[in-house]
């Protein structure tokens, strides 16, 4: 398991690309959205909601900074792990909580360790 004390991990974020009328996004919000911030994973990679309608190509604006992702985001939900302003990896879709947690662990395992 990843250590919460690692300085390299504190710069990570999990971008949750959603679309307001997306049924799988609503299911994710219902199943996981309310509990994510209370998990160990949230300490490693806090969840940041990003409306897909605000993204232009490979440019995701996060407050006063921009993150360039590796490829265009073509659907919602898409979950993109970023660290130090760059994309580490991603997965798309949501059908059930167990698959989400397994996919997220795969992403977190790709974070650089200090």
């Amino acid at each position: 398991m990843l250590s919460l004390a690692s300085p390299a991990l504190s710069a990570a974020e999990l971008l949750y690309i959603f679309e307001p009328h997306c049924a799988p996004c609503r299911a994710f919000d219902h199943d996981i959205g309310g509990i994510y911030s209370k998990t160990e994973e949230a300490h490693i990679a806090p969840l940041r909601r990003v409306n897909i309608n605000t993204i232009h190509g490979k440019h995701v604006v996060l407050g006063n900074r921009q993150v360039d992702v590796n490829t265009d985001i073509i659907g919602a939900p898409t979950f993109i792990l970023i660290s130090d302003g760059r994309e580490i990896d991603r997965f798309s879709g949501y059908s059930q909580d167990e698959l989400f947690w397994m996919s997220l662990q795969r992403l977190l395992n790709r974070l650089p360790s200090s």
Side-chain angles (χ1 to χ4, degrees), residues 57-82:
K58 298 179 193 174
H59 309 295
V60 180
V61 176
L62 303 174
N64 61 354
R65 65 188 171 106
Q66 176 176 296
V67 174
D68 292 331
V69 294
N70 296 342
T71 59
D72 289 344
I73 299 162
I74 57 172
T78 296
F79 301 90
I80 303 173
L81 181 65
I82 61 169

Side-chain angles (χ1 to χ4, degrees), residues 82-96:
I82 61 169
S83 180
D84 296 323
R86 67 179 184 86
E87 179 176 341
I88 301 298
D89 204 352
R90 71 172 73 186
F91 64 92
S92 296
Y94 178 80
S95 60
Q96 59 178 291

Side-chain angles (χ1 to χ4, degrees), residues 26-82:
R26 287 193 305 272
F28 171 82
D29 291 339
H30 176 267
D31 296 347
I32 295 175
I35 64 166
Y36 185 86
S37 65
K38 301 171 187 159
T39 65
E40 181 178 332
E41 291 83 355
H43 293 286
I44 297 167
L47 188 72
R48 182 186 290 254
R49 293 174 55 93
V50 180
N51 188 320
I52 197 168
N53 297 316
T54 65
I55 298 171
H56 304 288
K58 298 179 193 174
H59 309 295
V60 180
V61 176
L62 303 174
N64 61 354
R65 65 188 171 106
Q66 176 176 296
V67 174
D68 292 331
V69 294
N70 296 342
T71 59
D72 289 344
I73 299 162
I74 57 172
T78 296
F79 301 90
I80 303 173
L81 181 65
I82 61 169

Side-chain angles (χ1 to χ4, degrees), residues 1-3 9 12 14 40-41 44-45 81 83 86 88-91 100-114:
M1 197 60 164
L2 297 170
S3 167
L9 298 180
L14 181 64
E40 181 178 332
E41 291 83 355
I44 297 167
L81 181 65
S83 180
R86 67 179 184 86
I88 301 298
D89 204 352
R90 71 172 73 186
F91 64 92
F100 169 80
W101 294 116
M102 288 174 27
S103 299
L104 178 58
Q105 190 58 56
R106 181 185 61 80
L107 296 187
L108 294 176
N109 287 340
R110 300 212 48 217
L111 281 171
S113 57
S114 58

